Amino acid sequence: MIAVLCGGVGAARYLRGLLGVMPADQIVAIVNTGDDCELHGLSISPDLDTITYTLANAIDPDRGWGLRDESWRALEALRRYVHVTPAGSSAASTWFGLGDTDLATHMYRTHRLAEGATLTEVTAEIARAWQLGLTMLPMTDDSVRTRVKTLDFGEISFQEYFVRHRHGVAVESLRFDGAQTARVPSAVLAAIATADRIVIAPSNPLVSIGPLRALSALETALRDRRHDVVAISPIVGGKALKGPADRLLVELGHEATQAAIARLYAPIAATLIIDHVDLGQASSVSAAGVRPVVTSTVMSDRHIAEQLATISLSAVE
Ligand code: FO1
């Protein structure tokens, strides 16, 4: 069995590759919920949804989130109420794109949580409905929310930073609200303890993998398996393929280099997979105490994603 620590888009593409090279029932995806938010009374879990829709081949390929062939009538209808909304109310806010068919997923999740189901249970139901085959586990059933301290707007939610401000504002620090008391489900800890390999998907190490590591039981479990943990760098040639990882690394005192990724992951991963273009940085990865493996990490098609998956499975010595 392979356990994969996941954020959103990069993880979803990696999992699609992994599904091409090994049986789905041998894969456990452990997914960040620090990006989760509550809007219009709905419980939204963006990383779980991005993985679900990608693996079901239902994702909008251009946006990388939400459903393909989506319509936006509900959100457009909400605009009618903008001019009557009292100051301080977010009742008619439309900055977060909730498509008409995507709403069904959030409605189902919200209703089941209100009925007393855990997020783990609801996630399993959603995965079954989309016939994903693999096991998808949220990192916790408790509330953990990534909070972003910005220079211009003070502390805001992750989605306000990422979507409302298009991750274009300067960040001073991150905080994972709730992580100190959140419990890690026993299924997550069992997957980490018994997996043949643990892969850290090419996700943002600070805001996607950071929330998982902020759960001390999960961090300890990973440290115990360090030798069997392979991380895939989300940085290629000093840039993030998607999202603000490069910028955040610099703003938060690291660098957008493989050495910086290796230093971040050194306590929990013995191996780091980096792209060919960064071959020259392999020695700096070794200097951080992590074994570099060099291959193509840009998953521009399914074939490369499968190749990367195969290499990640054999990368542990
Ligand atoms: N990303 C955006 O850039 N703009 C959106 O309006 C947006 C809406 C959205 C709705 C549901 C959902 O599951 C994801 C959504 N995302 C949107 C993606 C999400 O903000 C990010 O991909 C992740 O949180 C970062 O991994």
Side-chain angles (χ1 to χ4, degrees):
M1 181 267 290
I2 305 295
V4 185
L5 309 190
C6 299
V9 177
R13 291 193 181 147
Y14 171 79
L15 286 171
R16 197 161 56 183
L18 196 58
L19 281 163
V21 300
M22 66 179 290
D25 64 3
Q26 292 298 305
I27 302 172
V28 177
I30 301 167
V31 184
N32 171 39
T33 56
D35 294 13
D36 289 13
C37 61
E38 289 75 33
L39 274 173
H40 310 300
L42 296 171
S43 299
I44 302 162
S45 295
D47 285 351
L48 288 167
D49 293 341
T50 297
I51 290 171
T52 301
Y53 296 161
T54 301
L55 299 185
N57 218 6
I59 197 95
D60 181 286
D62 301 322
R63 288 196 307 273
W65 56 269
L67 287 159
R68 68 165 85 226
D69 304 322
E70 186 58 286
S71 57
W72 307 90
R73 294 191 64 193
L75 214 62
E76 278 156 23
L78 193 58
R79 289 187 210 283
R80 174 185 296 275
Y81 301 101
V82 169
H83 75 283
V84 299
T85 310
S89 167
S90 55
S93 64
T94 55
W95 57 266
F96 196 71
L98 293 170
D100 296 336
T101 54
D102 182 35
L103 277 170
T105 302
H106 313 310
M107 288 163 64
Y108 182 79
R109 177 184 295 117
T110 306
H111 201 127
R112 289 288 293 122
L113 291 173
E115 286 174 349
T118 63
L119 185 59
T120 299
E121 288 165 341
V122 184
T123 300
E125 290 160 11
I126 292 173
R128 255 207 338 271
W130 288 91
Q131 299 180 313
L132 300 192
L134 54 63
T135 301
M136 191 165 52
L137 301 173
M139 65 182 196
T140 178
D141 287 325
D142 298 326
S143 169
V144 174
R145 295 290 178 267
T146 299
R147 305 285 301 169
V148 183
K149 192 170 174 208
T150 65
L151 216 54
D152 295 338
F153 300 97
E155 191 180 82
I156 55 179
S157 73
F158 179 78
Q159 293 302 342
E160 283 175 299
Y161 162 72
F162 195 90
V163 174
R164 193 173 201 170
H165 298 293
R166 297 165 199 268
H167 47 78
V169 292
V171 173
E172 287 184 317
S173 61
L174 298 170
R175 188 167 72 82
F176 305 112
D177 192 32
Q180 288 211 323
T181 51
R183 291 151 301 177
V184 180
S186 52
V188 170
L189 293 176
I192 301 284
T194 60
D196 299 309
R197 303 261 183 287
I198 299 148
V199 179
I200 303 177
S203 298
N204 187 316
L206 302 174
V207 293
S208 295
I209 304 302
L212 283 94
R213 298 187 64 185
L215 305 172
S216 59
L218 194 36
E219 172 76 5
T220 303
L222 290 167
R223 286 179 187 228
D224 287 347
R225 298 294 316 269
R226 180 183 186 274
H227 188 72
D228 299 310
V229 179
V230 182
I232 303 171
S233 177
I235 296 292
V236 177
K239 295 262 168 255
L241 291 175
K242 200 166 188 334
D246 45 6
R247 189 174 161 174
L248 272 179
L249 281 164
V250 174
E251 285 174 344
L252 295 178
H254 310 276
E255 300 163 335
T257 61
Q258 303 306 348
I261 303 291
R263 282 194 294 270
L264 279 167
Y265 282 143
I268 55 167
T271 307
L272 178 68
I273 299 181
I274 63 174
D275 193 82
H276 285 301
V277 305
D278 293 323
L279 177 64
Q281 295 184 42
S283 57
S284 68
V285 172
S286 304
V290 178
R291 194 170 62 92
V293 170
V294 182
T295 187
S296 300
T297 65
V298 183
M299 294 176 282
S300 45
D301 62 39
R302 200 175 284 234
H303 176 67
I304 298 177
E306 287 180 4
Q307 238 175 19
L308 179 60
T310 304
I311 286 166
S312 67
L313 296 183
S314 59
V316 172
E317 269 178 334

